[in-house]
Amino acid sequence: MLSLVTRLLAPKGPVTAHINARPVAVAPKETLLQAALREGIAFPHSCRVGGCATCKCRLVSGKVRELTQSGYILSDEELDQGYILACQAVPQTDVRIEVDLSALPARRQIGGRIVGQERLTHDIVQLRVQLDEALAYKAGQFADLTLDSLPGVARSYSFATPVQPDAQVSFFVRKVPGGRFSTLVVDHDLSGQRLTVHGPGGDFWLRPADAPLVLVAGGSGLAPMLAMLADARAQGVARPVTLLFGARLQADLYGMAAIEAFARSWPAPFRFVPVLSAETPGSTWLGARGLVTDFLPDTVLPGAHAYLCGPPPMVDTARAALLRQNVADADIHADRFTTLYDRPQAA
């Protein structure tokens, strides 16, 4: 019955979406985000599957069909103001939407060559790429990578460093079960191979403020945190920092030397709390055990701003814990590392 109703309500032909007054033709069954990206609009986005709020925009007029429920991602206030997720919104009529594009570097497609693969853990590799030309991005953002040897397969990874003078970029690639791209990168030597970097994307970056920082990372979600910390240190930021890093075992911890260097040189208090969730009882580990989110109540300073990056369950649990600690929702920024297995079911 639902599919019949959907067919009856579907537009018979293309409709027009005015994105900040720019007209864009939207094909039947195409989402607002797909149409915007096809037309070269640097529309903010991250997961593309309704798992984050990066592509949120305000529906000014017209009607859309939402592929999934957005109530668990958008706040009640945002819903009341007409905000929708562009990646999950299929226009049913001509629509007008508003989205802030002013602060985003323009997305570009640049070729590059793989110049390094460093194994960080058993399933995470640091991929270093020498770009053919410089790419502007904010520390914390991501890019879509496509290997020439694997055409048609694009995967999103966060920049692990801020912009470098030599136009070299770095990404942390975690092997995903059944993942064609990640398996190739983690298990095979790709030195010298060509790839395309399309970016930047996402709205995950450090906002200017004086408030204490709480950074919560899980797995390869440490990449944008290291990039933001390096950029903040170079900019002379002197905000107190608490970095919580969740992993399963001691063998899954990486980036320790870089974090220790930040702690030594940071011009304000810097606290690092690695937390292991599956470390063997009686091992040599003397640090924190459990879920990384369990330690938020003891580490959040009054008035803190929070940045979360990692698996969706960790991000969602951390957000809920921070809200209970009276951290304002507007001061919580997140990048949920979704995979093809994390796609929500269509309504």
Side-chain angles (χ1 to χ4, degrees):
M1 181 65 180
L2 180 61
S3 60
L4 175 61
V5 172
T6 299
R7 289 198 300 270
L8 291 174
L9 294 177
K12 304 304 181 184
V15 298
T16 299
H18 287 83
I19 302 174
N20 292 355
R22 174 177 170 177
V24 172
V26 185
K29 299 183 180 180
E30 192 174 35
T31 67
L32 286 169
L33 179 62
Q34 290 170 336
L37 297 179
R38 172 172 49 76
E39 291 299 312
I41 297 175
F43 205 106
H45 67 281
S46 182
C47 71
R48 305 192 190 201
V49 295
C52 69
T54 305
C55 68
K56 68 181 179 183
C57 55
R58 193 169 74 88
L59 180 64
V60 179
S61 65
K63 296 182 179 180
V64 300
R65 177 170 62 90
E66 295 186 276
L67 301 179
T68 58
Q69 293 293 326
S70 57
Y72 72 105
I73 291 294
L74 299 176
S75 67
D76 290 340
E77 182 179 359
E78 289 172 330
L79 293 172
D80 290 342
Q81 293 174 355
Y83 278 89
I84 58 174
L85 301 177
C87 73
Q88 298 298 296
V90 177
Q92 301 299 287
T93 66
D94 290 348
V95 298
R96 292 183 179 274
I97 64 170
E98 294 178 349
V99 59
D100 182 11
L101 305 176
S102 61
L104 295 174
R107 286 179 65 89
R108 301 174 59 203
Q109 191 163 289
I110 298 176
R113 177 172 52 88
I114 295 174
V115 295
Q117 288 167 275
E118 177 186 354
R119 185 168 294 277
L120 303 177
T121 70
H122 75 283
D123 63 349
I124 298 177
V125 162
Q126 180 176 10
L127 185 70
R128 291 190 294 112
V129 177
Q130 180 61 57
L131 296 177
D132 295 340
E133 55 183 292
L135 174 66
Y137 61 89
K138 291 177 178 288
Q141 289 189 290
F142 71 89
D144 298 325
L145 309 185
T146 304
L147 293 163
D148 285 9
S149 58
L150 197 62
V153 178
R155 295 292 183 265
S156 301
Y157 295 97
S158 296
F159 294 99
T161 60
V163 173
Q164 303 296 301
D166 60 358
Q168 191 170 116
V169 293
S170 179
F171 308 91
F172 295 167
V173 178
R174 182 180 68 86
K175 184 177 179 180
V176 176
R180 296 169 62 192
F181 187 103
S182 62
T183 298
L184 195 59
V185 171
V186 173
D187 291 347
H188 300 273
D189 182 5
L190 304 180
S191 299
Q193 288 201 24
R194 299 285 300 178
L195 78 170
T196 300
V197 176
H198 185 204
D203 68 348
F204 192 68
W205 64 76
L206 189 62
R207 272 62 173 180
D210 296 323
L213 290 169
V214 176
L215 313 179
V216 185
S220 58
L222 190 60
M225 301 302 190
L226 295 180
M228 288 194 295
L229 287 170
D231 188 56
R233 183 176 58 183
Q235 300 297 326
V237 172
R239 302 163 67 176
V241 171
T242 298
L243 170 60
L244 293 95
F245 179 33
R248 297 186 69 255
L249 307 169
Q250 287 189 68
D252 296 321
L253 294 175
Y254 66 96
M256 298 299 101
I259 295 172
E260 289 171 2
F262 284 130
R264 288 194 303 268
S265 62
W266 203 259
F270 190 108
R271 183 183 181 189
F272 174 49
V273 183
V275 183
L276 302 183
S277 62
E279 182 70 6
T280 304
S283 74
T284 60
W285 178 249
L286 299 178
R289 295 172 181 262
L291 299 178
V292 67
T293 52
D294 294 339
F295 293 83
L296 279 170
D298 297 327
T299 55
V300 176
L301 296 176
H305 291 184
Y307 292 80
L308 320 173
C309 189
M314 184 212 77
V315 170
D316 295 343
T317 303
R319 180 186 291 274
L322 289 163
L323 291 174
R324 289 194 296 271
Q325 293 295 115
N326 297 317
V327 177
D329 189 59
D331 295 330
I332 302 175
H333 307 277
D335 189 357
R336 303 164 89 246
F337 275 14
T338 55
T339 70
L340 295 178
Y341 301 98
D342 297 316
R343 292 179 183 271
Q345 297 298 313

